Amino acid sequence: MVMNNGVNTDDINIDIKNEDSYTSNFIRKIIIDDLESGKHKEIVTRFPPEPNGYLHLGHAKAIMLDFELADEFNGRTNLRFDDTNPLKEDTEYVESIKEDIKWLGYEWDDLRFASDYFEEMYNRAALLIKKQKAYVCDLSAEQIREYRGTLTEPGIESPYRNRSVEENLDLFERMRKGEFKDGEKVLRAKIDMQSPNMNMRDPVLYRIAHATHHNTGDKWCIYPMYDFAHPLEDAIEGITHSICTLEFEDHRPLYDWVVRECEMEHIPQQIEFARLNVTNTVMSKRKLKMLVDEGIVDGWDDPRMPTIAGLRRRGFTPESIRNFCRATGVSKTNSVVDYQLLEHFLREDLLGKVPRVMGVLRPLKVVITNYPEDQEEQLEAVYNPDNPELGSRKLTFSREIYIDAEDFMENPPKNYFRLYPGNEVRLKDAYFIKCNDVIKDKDGNIVELHCTYDPETRSGSGFTGRKVKGTIHWVSAKDAIPVEFRLYEPLILEDDDEDDDKPFLEKVNPRSLEILNGLAEPSIKNSAPHQKYQFIRVGYFNTDPKLTKKDKLVFNRITALKSSFKL
Ligand code: ATP
Ligand code: MG
């Protein structure tokens, strides 16, 4: 398939027509129906991250849906931190999440914290007790699991199920006061231990955790469970469409039960869609945190991480991520999207925008023996033929240059069009050169090449005398600057399947980072953090914002090129 920008997407394993499946997605249809029927006057959505890690590409998709679906209908979107588990949450994560959402290009209406509703949630739980719809249970976590039954066997009722309202209210209040230890008691909904839906078998609503909360400090030692807290949060905020991932489909009856039995005035609707999975990528904060904690990566923003912070540092743009998320469509069935699709949207975004410059990753010296030692010249070269506004710079050409060692072979195979003894190639924006001699050290390693150039063949001179099949990039020995190039391979060697038994850390690619000390043309000397380039024939690169120092430029390869230059 060829897209309208001329980029061939044949090798991308996805139907890009999916973009239509975004604009015609089923959630959008529900919203339109609800507006037309008058069920809602205004659409209100929320993005509800738990601040227990950095956001990843999967979250970007949820963000895109939550914000864009509301925005399209002049609705509102809250950013709500679902901070009901003090053991895992941290303000560092709160700050990173805010930064990442803004960077992706979205603005929330209200900023909320679930923990701001703890008092109301407590009161609603007490209401359930009064209605005999909840009880304090002394079973241990393990016993609760045993009593719950299985998909084929019904559960067994807890011996504490029929405590009186008074006793339950008293115990619940004492749980709050801190009279019991962690795990000693829980508050459970009284629903149906026979229900075919396991989530309805008297789920736990509150647990005891003597832990300091990032927002409420030590005010609370009981915390609501997700299934109780989330519907209340949505109802309190007047969320109309509560969009979440497919694994919550079986929780929806409980979600509706909580809203109804807690007598919430506003009734939100939970709608599930298939989560985003990407090849060779993990989308679980828990696993990403393992990579950070084990020191396998250099933090949450390591350029190999699928976190928004990692993708940003690698050099992906907000546009490329948004377009990628849109192209993956909205579906009710889980699937795995090819990582190459993300790279495709990055190339599409940067195509005519960034300068094309020259850098050699593995420098090999070339002496042009027929070029006078005391001579040099300046060759005009445009930055990007697709974008004249970027202008041009002068390249120094002189007797000594560097090419990439990978562009030379002493004994080439058939159809090799780069440099080899006796062959002639074009130096990009300069001259034809021909290799005459290969100079080696005493161990037989190639140390330099001796070539001759043809002064008639200067780029732009209109020379038509003969043709060469290969064009290679180069830098001048006179003014090239040392730079560090960082090349990346996938961090995870296979698709991460939750169900296989292989320990996750065994799937990590030990060769996901390659650091090369290369040389680049001097025009890039003052690169700002995050400045992006296309290094001709090598790929798109981003100036690393953390590692780049005044005297040392570090470039992350965002993606290789699918280049017609590739020989
Ligand atoms: P993780 O398993 O990585 O911790 P999570 O779902 O627990 O993810 P939350 O902070 O609870 O993380 O997620 C916030 C929102 O992002 C939720 O609505 C969730 O459904 C959505 N989300 C998380 N992962 C994905 C994904 N891979 N694709 C689409 N949406 C996702
Ligand atoms: Mg979660």
Side-chain angles (χ1 to χ4, degrees):
M1 179 188 4
V2 175
M3 304 223 350
N4 52 11
N5 58 11
V7 175
N8 192 303
T9 56
D10 279 346
D11 56 339
I12 296 178
N13 224 338
I14 185 169
D15 185 354
I16 304 227
K17 282 202 298 294
N18 250 336
E19 221 162 330
D20 302 338
S21 116
Y22 171 68
T23 42
S24 64
N25 81 65
F26 70 95
I27 305 178
R28 196 167 166 270
K29 287 206 176 94
I30 295 174
I31 290 176
I32 292 171
D33 285 349
D34 288 348
L35 287 170
E36 280 175 358
S37 72
K39 181 176 174 191
H40 300 297
K41 292 210 164 47
E42 189 188 26
I43 301 305
V44 188
T45 62
R46 87 290 172 258
F47 174 64
E50 183 179 357
N52 61 352
Y54 280 59
L55 297 182
H56 53 61
L57 206 45
H59 293 117
K61 175 146 182 188
I63 291 169
M64 185 269 300
L65 284 174
D66 291 327
F67 281 85
E68 295 195 2
L69 282 169
D71 203 46
E72 186 183 346
F73 302 98
N74 292 318
R76 290 183 293 126
T77 304
N78 290 350
L79 168 59
R80 179 208 307 147
F81 287 99
D82 206 351
D83 54 350
T84 55
N85 182 1
L87 301 168
K88 291 186 178 164
E89 295 158 5
D90 199 283
T91 39
E92 177 198 344
Y93 301 136
V94 171
E95 293 313 313
S96 75
I97 289 169
K98 287 194 216 165
E99 183 187 350
D100 289 349
I101 296 172
K102 283 191 230 160
W103 179 77
L104 280 172
Y106 299 101
E107 263 177 71
W108 53 87
D109 291 280
D110 289 348
L111 176 64
R112 304 292 185 99
F113 289 86
S115 53
D116 290 340
Y117 313 140
F118 281 169
E119 193 68 43
E120 168 146 18
M121 290 177 187
Y122 179 85
N123 293 333
R124 299 281 170 178
L127 173 66
L128 290 180
I129 293 175
K130 285 177 201 148
K131 292 168 72 176
Q132 302 199 43
K133 297 279 183 185
Y135 60 98
V136 173
C137 183
D138 298 6
L139 293 181
S140 67
E142 203 181 314
Q143 286 168 320
I144 290 179
R145 216 172 304 128
E146 278 169 25
Y147 278 54
R148 234 177 132 210
T150 63
L151 285 173
T152 50
E153 293 163 59
I156 302 167
E157 294 189 353
S158 161
Y160 304 98
R161 200 173 199 258
N162 294 313
R163 278 175 162 155
S164 69
V165 170
E166 291 67 36
E167 188 184 3
N168 277 322
L169 283 175
D170 176 59
L171 288 172
F172 189 44
E173 200 180 321
R174 288 166 58 199
M175 279 169 66
R176 175 181 182 164
K177 282 188 182 148
E179 288 186 26
F180 308 110
K181 291 201 278 294
D182 290 7
E184 225 174 291
K185 290 192 166 31
V186 291
L187 183 76
R188 295 177 70 178
K190 194 172 182 176
I191 310 179
D192 180 6
M193 290 306 288
Q194 319 271 318
S195 171
N197 183 339
M198 302 282 283
N199 297 301
M200 301 301 271
R201 295 185 187 173
D202 291 10
V204 174
L205 304 180
Y206 264 92
R207 69 195 184 288
I208 300 170
H210 291 273
T212 305
H213 186 279
H214 78 101
N215 200 20
T216 55
D218 293 319
K219 185 170 175 211
W220 292 88
C221 64
I222 57 170
Y223 291 94
M225 304 299 286
Y226 177 90
D227 281 334
F228 179 65
H230 208 89
L232 295 182
E233 295 157 19
D234 285 343
I236 292 167
E237 291 175 21
I239 304 301
T240 53
H241 300 83
S242 176
I243 303 165
C244 66
T245 37
L246 225 45
E247 64 273 22
F248 292 103
E249 198 167 17
D250 290 345
H251 297 238
R252 194 182 340 126
L254 179 54
Y255 180 100
D256 293 339
W257 184 93
V258 170
V259 173
R260 187 174 68 246
E261 296 299 341
C262 288
E263 300 175 15
M264 302 306 289
E265 209 173 301
H266 174 82
I267 299 173
Q269 181 187 359
Q270 176 182 299
I271 304 172
E272 311 85 16
F273 72 99
R275 59 191 294 121
L276 174 67
N277 297 305
V278 178
T279 53
N280 295 98
T281 306
V282 261
M283 294 284 193
S284 146
K285 280 181 281 187
R286 186 178 59 80
K287 289 181 183 169
L288 294 173
K289 189 166 187 300
M290 266 161 86
L291 296 172
V292 175
D293 292 345
E294 295 286 323
I296 290 168
V297 295
D298 155 38
W300 286 95
D301 66 349
D302 185 293
R304 291 165 289 181
M305 292 281 269
T307 51
I308 305 303
L311 294 166
R312 172 169 61 235
R313 188 166 156 204
R314 174 87 163 251
F316 283 94
T317 58
E319 289 79 3
S320 62
I321 296 174
R322 289 199 307 257
N323 289 337
F324 166 75
C325 289
R326 277 189 207 113
T328 58
V330 187
S331 155
K332 271 275 187 193
T333 34
N334 282 318
S335 63
V336 183
V337 177
D338 199 318
Y339 179 80
Q340 290 188 67
L341 187 66
L342 178 62
E343 298 184 314
H344 162 78
F345 283 108
L346 188 273
R347 291 189 198 102
E348 187 185 74
D349 187 26
L350 296 188
L351 195 62
K353 283 190 191 159
V354 298
R356 294 183 191 170
V357 295
M358 292 201 276
V360 294
L361 272 49
R362 303 163 190 84
L364 171 60
K365 194 173 192 176
V366 172
V367 180
I368 298 166
T369 52
N370 62 339
Y371 199 93
E373 247 167 88
D374 54 356
Q375 193 176 309
E376 68 172 51
E377 64 192 287
Q378 300 294 316
L379 302 169
E380 179 91 4
V382 296
Y383 274 120
N384 187 334
D386 294 334
N387 185 351
E389 277 176 21
L390 290 174
S392 63
R393 80 287 193 200
K394 295 255 182 356
L395 299 171
T396 304
F397 190 75
S398 56
R399 186 177 160 91
E400 290 186 358
I401 63 164
Y402 288 93
I403 65 165
D404 197 297
E406 291 205 332
D407 284 332
F408 175 79
M409 276 184 106
E410 198 173 9
N411 300 299
K414 236 180 145 185
N415 295 327
Y416 185 83
F417 301 121
R418 289 173 273 173
L419 203 58
Y420 57 87
N423 191 39
E424 193 174 41
V425 296
R426 169 172 288 290
L427 293 175
K428 171 87 178 128
D429 291 322
Y431 296 96
F432 287 7
I433 58 167
K434 182 174 177 179
C435 178
N436 305 308
D437 269 314
V438 182
I439 314 299
K440 296 182 184 173
D441 64 14
K442 62 179 184 347
D443 300 322
N445 301 312
I446 299 172
V447 288
E448 64 183 50
L449 305 177
H450 285 182
C451 297
T452 43
Y453 88 118
D454 178 351
E456 302 286 303
T457 59
R458 190 166 50 80
S459 274
S461 68
F463 175 79
T464 51
R466 63 188 181 280
K467 287 205 162 116
V468 287
K469 283 202 166 150
T471 298
I472 64 173
H473 59 283
W474 58 281
V475 295
S476 160
K478 280 227 157 125
D479 58 10
I481 56 171
V483 301
E484 181 176 302
F485 292 106
R486 294 185 158 228
L487 308 189
Y488 301 102
E489 292 294 328
L491 186 55
I492 307 298
L493 284 169
E494 26 193 313
D495 297 344
D496 182 42
D497 181 352
E498 289 282 348
D499 298 330
D500 70 15
D501 295 333
K502 196 165 171 184
F504 165 64
L505 290 178
E506 283 178 20
K507 297 179 186 173
V508 171
N509 179 2
R511 279 176 291 278
S512 54
L513 168 64
E514 185 182 8
I515 299 178
L516 295 166
N517 291 308
L519 293 168
E521 61 170 86
S523 71
I524 61 153
K525 194 148 72 212
N526 298 316
S527 298
H530 286 299
Q531 201 154 325
K532 295 173 182 46
Y533 297 99
Q534 184 189 116
F535 278 99
I536 288 169
R537 298 179 64 236
V538 189
Y540 286 105
F541 284 80
N542 188 43
T543 315
D544 189 282
K546 259 196 178 167
L547 299 172
T548 292
K549 301 273 152 27
K550 240 195 163 127
D551 53 352
K552 184 188 173 199
L553 284 167
V554 178
F555 293 103
N556 296 318
R557 180 153 73 177
I558 320 170
T559 169
L561 299 171
K562 248 189 305 169
S563 167
S564 53
F565 262 127
K566 215 169 179 184
L567 301 168

